[in-house]
Amino acid sequence: MLLELFSGIGAAGLAWGGPVAAAVDQNPHANTTYALNHGLRPKAWNLEAVSAAQLAAFGATRWWMSPPCQPYTVRGARRDLDDPRARPLLRLLPILAELRPPVVAMENVPGFVVSAMRGELRATLIGAGYTLHERLACPTALGVPMRRQRYYLTARLRGDGRHRSELGGSAPIAPLRPLGGYLDAAPDPGAYLPEATVRGYGHSAHIVDADDPAAVATCFTSAYGRSPVRAGSYVRDAGGVRTFSPEEILRLLGFPGSFHFPEVLPRSVRFDLAGNSLSLDAVRAALAEA
Ligand SMILES: C[S@@+](CC[C@H](N)C(=O)[O-])C[C@H]1O[C@@H](n2cnc3c(N)ncnc32)[C@H](O)[C@@H]1O
């Protein structure tokens, strides 16, 4: 049974494919989307104030954690342990050491590798008897035409004590699939950018061609749709240059076609939720060894 902490829209539960004991997230839009697609309502708890007893009650043997990444990004000023958004993970460390679930897995941005928080996490888990496997992985290595390099940790209680860190990135193991296969058949007419915007941002925005078989989109962040640069690629097709739709981003992340947002959820919120989520292929690889 999986316990999905910082569950968002539930990428880890989907990738796991097995029973989910419980999910926890404080974002109401994420929780509504999660409930609609997974038939389980996440606990709307603030993990900064959670107790060991509350989490122990779920009886889960595998814990997945996707804590906020802003403390370890340039955009978030890399405040690391001093960032208030690091507090929920800090709160979980003594709980992990006390409850010692058999498997703990986690995902974060590459900047986590050089953080003091990673040092705290490693020290806690190793001190509690876990064997760690850390690596950097990107869906492009699995043939997905979208970059999303992330740090993955798998920690097992019954390991051999030989910790592995593969933080040099992963070599491709599958040929690149064409981006066109991930795009909407009928793009939203409202997604096209005015010509003046394309001219204004054209040099700094990353634009991929819909029919280029070698096209690779950049990482989509939760700021996509709000910040015109460094938040994700744009796509040029027969209609002009447009934003990717939230559904296209989910497809690139490996979500099933049946996954859907609540009708009432605005596009900006959908971008926020999709941009915060995970590559199912990469999570599957991390959980496969757990
Ligand atoms: C990087 S996202 C994880 C996304 C998720 N893995 C998914 O598949 O969508 C981080 C999540 O942590 C949640 N979060 C941040 N701080 C929290 C806290 N103190 N307590 C509970 N949830 C929190 C956010 O609402 C957000 O959904």
Side-chain angles (χ1 to χ4, degrees), residues 56-250:
F58 299 128
T61 48
R62 288 173 167 82
W63 288 24
W64 178 274
M65 309 189 293
S66 306
C69 58
Q70 294 91 340
Y72 325 106
T73 62
V74 175
R75 207 184 261 269
R78 287 207 157 142
R79 290 175 61 205
D80 204 339
L81 297 173
D82 295 330
D83 191 313
R85 290 163 292 193
R87 284 184 203 143
L89 180 56
L90 275 177
R91 169 71 199 127
L92 289 168
L93 296 187
I95 295 181
L96 286 170
E98 179 187 339
L99 299 181
R100 298 171 79 233
V103 174
V104 177
M106 198 193 103
E107 169 269 356
N108 215 274
V109 290
F112 186 81
V113 171
V114 293
S115 68
M117 178 62 98
R118 173 176 165 235
E120 297 286 322
L121 176 69
R122 281 180 57 92
T124 301
L125 292 174
I126 292 172
Y130 287 88
T131 299
L132 311 190
H133 182 189
E134 299 170 287
R135 63 191 149 156
L136 285 179
C138 184
T140 49
L142 303 167
V144 180
M146 178 192 64
R147 281 183 238 289
R148 200 173 182 84
Q149 174 101 305
R150 288 290 183 268
Y151 165 89
Y152 294 93
L153 163 77
T154 312
R156 283 180 297 138
L157 260 190
R158 275 188 288 158
D160 58 11
R162 285 206 292 264
H163 309 296
R164 287 155 66 201
S165 294
E166 296 158 8
L167 302 174
S170 42
I173 54 168
L176 190 70
R177 294 194 282 276
L179 180 69
Y182 293 83
L183 302 179
D184 292 339
D188 174 4
Y192 287 91
L193 306 181
E195 261 308 310
T197 309
V198 177
R199 272 199 305 277
Y201 286 112
H203 57 286
S204 48
H206 185 254
I207 302 173
V208 288
D209 281 314
D211 52 10
D212 176 0
V216 177
T218 56
C219 182
F220 295 94
T221 75
S222 57
Y224 192 60
R226 279 181 283 130
S227 169
V229 290
R230 283 192 292 278
S233 299
Y234 295 84
V235 59
R236 189 190 308 275
D237 62 20
V241 174
R242 64 173 178 83
T243 51
F244 279 77
S245 68
E247 290 73 20
E248 286 170 331
I249 297 173
L250 289 183

Side-chain angles (χ1 to χ4, degrees), residues 4-12 24-27 30 45-48 64 66-69 85 88 107 255 273 276-278:
E4 209 176 345
L5 298 175
F6 309 95
S7 49
I9 56 175
V24 183
D25 200 293
Q26 64 179 9
N27 180 329
W45 296 344
N46 179 356
L47 287 165
E48 224 179 290
W64 178 274
S66 306
C69 58
R85 290 163 292 193
E107 169 269 356
F255 278 69
L273 297 176
N276 257 333
S277 197
L278 313 175

